[in-house]
Amino acid sequence: MRKIILFLLSSLIIYATFFTEKDRLDREVNRLCVLDGGVRVYETVTLPEDKFDRKYGQINFYDPAQGENALGPEYIYKWNMHYYKKGHPVSLGAQETAMRRDHVKIIRKSDMKLMGEVVKYHRAGGDLPGPWMPSSYHCPSVREANEGVLMSEIFIKSVEEKENEQSK
């Protein structure tokens, strides 16, 4: 009897690990991420010190509330979301699942040149039902690939001003 219970328990663990919707979506996130996930910079722009925040060193002309004009009149900021699986795990419960692809592009308006882009994949939910927040999985990780990383790699503080700053 113990062998049967042990067998059933181990079968359940194997099933829960490899055959749940959550794990299937995580594998799909990884597969798609290998194809085109991450940050790609095609051209950098050197800007004077006054275009950067003194406290954190990030560009100071980014306003996400402005949509495509979030980077001012010189650049187009495009953010596209494609849902592979729509769902609302936060509002409908942790057992719901959702999967999407985020694609952010920064384009120079004067010549419509693509300056850089970031592609990331995201899965949310697929957990046991309960009052907790659903789990999520990102590829690449949020620290490696996000809009802030993309902007910090495209918009660079001028070298002369960096040297002046270090000598102070």
Side-chain angles (χ1 to χ4, degrees):
M1 184 67 173
R2 282 187 174 180
K3 288 182 180 181
I4 292 173
I5 292 173
L6 186 60
F7 173 74
L8 290 174
L9 185 62
S10 62
S11 297
L12 181 65
I13 291 171
I14 291 170
Y15 175 79
T17 303
F18 295 107
F19 301 108
T20 64
E21 177 74 355
K22 176 181 171 179
D23 293 308
R24 186 188 71 76
L25 290 176
D26 284 353
R27 286 191 301 272
E28 184 65 5
V29 163
N30 286 334
R31 186 187 73 78
L32 293 169
C33 186
V34 167
L35 298 175
D36 69 345
V39 175
R40 287 180 292 288
V41 175
Y42 305 112
E43 188 173 325
T44 59
V45 178
T46 304
L47 298 172
E49 184 179 350
D50 65 334
K51 296 284 187 181
F52 293 87
D53 177 273
R54 288 192 179 274
K55 189 172 183 179
Y56 300 108
Q58 300 168 336
I59 58 172
N60 60 14
F61 55 92
Y62 173 61
D63 183 4
Q66 298 301 313
E68 282 197 2
N69 296 319
L71 292 169
E74 296 178 37
Y75 301 96
I76 299 170
Y77 177 88
K78 284 195 173 201
W79 181 7
N80 295 314
M81 282 189 280
H82 173 74
Y83 284 89
Y84 291 94
K85 182 162 196 255
K86 271 197 171 186
H88 300 283
V90 173
S91 60
L92 296 178
Q95 72 279 359
E96 292 288 318
T97 55
M99 181 181 152
R100 76 172 191 245
R101 176 184 191 255
D102 290 336
H103 187 191
V104 175
K105 296 192 260 185
I106 296 176
I107 301 165
R108 185 173 41 227
K109 281 186 184 177
S110 62
D111 58 1
M112 296 306 287
K113 177 165 177 33
L114 179 61
M115 306 295 291
E117 61 188 334
V118 61
V119 175
K120 49 191 176 173
Y121 293 89
H122 174 82
R123 185 268 313 150
D127 305 304
L128 292 173
W132 41 79
M133 288 296 292
S135 65
S136 65
Y137 179 67
H138 303 265
C139 185
S141 74
V142 177
R143 288 185 184 190
E144 293 173 16
N146 61 54
E147 302 77 40
V149 171
L150 176 64
M151 286 184 250
S152 71
E153 290 187 17
I154 291 176
F155 302 109
I156 301 168
K157 194 183 288 190
S158 71
V159 176
E160 295 171 2
E161 301 199 19
K162 276 186 185 175
E163 290 172 359
N164 290 338
E165 197 174 276
Q166 290 174 352
S167 65
K168 289 182 180 179

